[in-house]
Amino acid sequence: MDLQNGNLNRIKVVLIEKKRTAKWLAEELEKNPATVSKWCTNVSQPDLYTLDKIATLRDIDKREFITGKD
């Protein structure tokens, strides 16, 4: 985890890598776009259940959001 730079999760990076937007993610999760924006900027964090749903939607291992590794 890159706590020195304030990067608690990699949601934004993963969305970019998978060519998806925060708006798309908000629609898929039925969440407010402002909430997803806060996750992408590390202002707040999703709960573990939501993190698991995001990983499933993007077909990646949920550890990748936290560590950057599979």
Side-chain angles (χ1 to χ4, degrees):
M1 238 185 295
D2 188 4
L3 295 176
Q4 291 176 330
N5 293 327
N7 295 328
L8 300 176
N9 73 57
R10 299 180 65 250
I11 293 173
K12 183 176 182 176
V13 173
V14 169
L15 287 173
I16 291 169
E17 288 172 352
K18 302 290 185 173
K19 296 181 173 63
R20 293 294 182 170
T21 64
K23 181 180 176 184
W24 170 86
L25 184 59
E27 290 171 0
E28 289 293 312
L29 296 174
E30 298 179 351
K31 298 284 186 184
N32 185 308
T35 299
V36 175
S37 176
K38 289 178 184 178
W39 298 341
C40 289
T41 57
N42 284 299
V43 171
S44 66
Q45 301 300 311
D47 59 40
L48 293 176
Y49 174 77
T50 303
L51 193 62
D52 186 54
K53 286 176 66 174
I54 296 168
T56 300
L57 283 170
R58 297 307 328 131
D59 193 30
I60 62 169
D61 188 299
K62 57 187 154 256
R63 291 175 290 187
E64 186 176 337
F65 283 121
I66 299 167
T67 65
K69 302 174 187 172
D70 292 357

